[in-house]
Amino acid sequence: MTGFVAAAIGAVAIPAIMTKNFVAVTFLALAIQQFRDVRRAERDSLKDLENTEFTPRGDAYIDGIAKTFEARNYFALVVALVTGITMQLVSHMIQWVNILIGSLARLVVLFILKCFSKGKTVGDIADVQLGKVEVRDSELFVDGIYVMNQLGTDNARELYRKEGIAAVNYPREEHFRITLDHFGQRQAILFEATRAVGVKRYKLYTQGL
């Protein structure tokens, strides 16, 4: 809904300026404030849902999602604004020519924005390979890397041996290790992995008698 409002404001901005209706232009500032409120509302909503997730998203991931929601509104505003400017500059006598050229300009701007705003995925900076799960007493290792020491029951150890799946990220370049080692990035990777393959819940410890 806010994207529709953003596009509408961007479309009427140029005609408003040309007719010297500067009061209408002030809606642009109000729209920017509204976009920030959308970002804040999205962030608060996701934080309220953190307690319901088996694997939390983390503050960094939530902030990234909220920024994405805000950026979409700006994209709609910019695309509509460029379309309106293009149609006014062409100003052909045949109306459908103006519409066609404006639509082409819209597609070009949208493509440029999409290219510049697209972020990298884990697969772009690292090689993801299946790791070997090893259980030593109550400790869990993946490819010889220590993970945790909470496998205190036979049931937990057997579950990891038979059904455990592990993946190891190997950075393609050394400086990519900084990104992969970031706590917020690791939390986001963990959340997406559990959402994709699912999680089997169990109790690591036996209940007291």
Side-chain angles (χ1 to χ4, degrees):
M1 182 62 184
T2 54
F4 174 79
V5 173
I9 293 175
V12 302
I14 300 303
I17 294 175
M18 294 183 64
T19 57
K20 297 182 179 181
N21 186 4
F22 298 106
V23 176
V25 180
T26 59
F27 282 102
L28 188 62
L30 295 176
I32 293 175
Q33 181 60 43
Q34 182 64 29
F35 299 160
R36 293 175 180 173
D37 291 339
V38 169
R39 170 183 173 182
R40 188 180 301 109
E42 182 66 19
R43 182 173 60 245
D44 294 342
S45 177
L46 291 175
K47 284 187 176 181
D48 291 340
L49 294 175
E50 279 287 83
N51 294 330
T52 65
E53 299 286 352
F54 185 77
T55 303
R57 294 179 176 88
D59 292 339
Y61 193 19
I62 289 177
D63 188 63
I65 296 174
K67 288 179 179 177
T68 300
F69 271 80
E70 182 183 11
R72 290 174 179 174
N73 296 319
Y74 289 120
F75 283 4
L77 178 64
V78 171
V79 170
L81 186 62
V82 172
T83 302
I85 292 175
T86 303
M87 293 179 66
Q88 291 296 330
L89 290 176
V90 174
S91 188
H92 199 277
M93 295 181 60
I94 303 177
Q95 189 63 30
W96 67 266
V97 174
N98 295 330
I99 296 175
L100 178 61
I101 296 177
S103 299
L104 292 175
R106 172 182 62 87
L107 293 175
V108 171
V109 173
L110 186 61
F111 176 77
I112 294 174
L113 290 175
K114 185 177 180 180
C115 290
F116 277 97
S117 63
K118 184 179 180 181
K120 291 183 179 296
T121 63
V122 175
D124 294 328
I125 65 175
D127 295 318
V128 183
Q129 300 178 7
L130 286 176
K132 181 182 179 182
V133 177
E134 298 179 79
V135 177
R136 307 173 188 171
D137 296 329
S138 63
E139 297 179 339
L140 175 66
F141 292 82
V142 175
D143 283 355
I145 304 172
Y146 171 79
V147 178
M148 66 177 183
N149 63 343
Q150 297 179 347
L151 304 183
T153 64
D154 293 336
N155 180 47
R157 290 190 288 270
E158 193 65 20
L159 185 64
Y160 269 92
R161 288 193 182 99
K162 290 184 176 180
E163 302 183 36
I165 301 175
V168 182
N169 298 325
Y170 295 95
R172 295 181 178 176
E173 297 182 21
E174 189 61 28
H175 66 276
F176 288 147
R177 187 179 298 277
I178 299 175
T179 301
L180 295 174
D181 286 343
H182 188 273
F183 179 78
Q185 183 66 55
R186 293 166 63 184
Q187 186 67 45
I189 292 173
L190 182 61
F191 173 79
E192 289 295 337
T194 55
R195 189 175 68 169
V197 302
V199 176
K200 186 169 185 178
R201 303 190 181 199
Y202 58 89
K203 292 184 179 180
L204 293 175
Y205 305 102
T206 57
Q207 295 180 351
L209 298 177

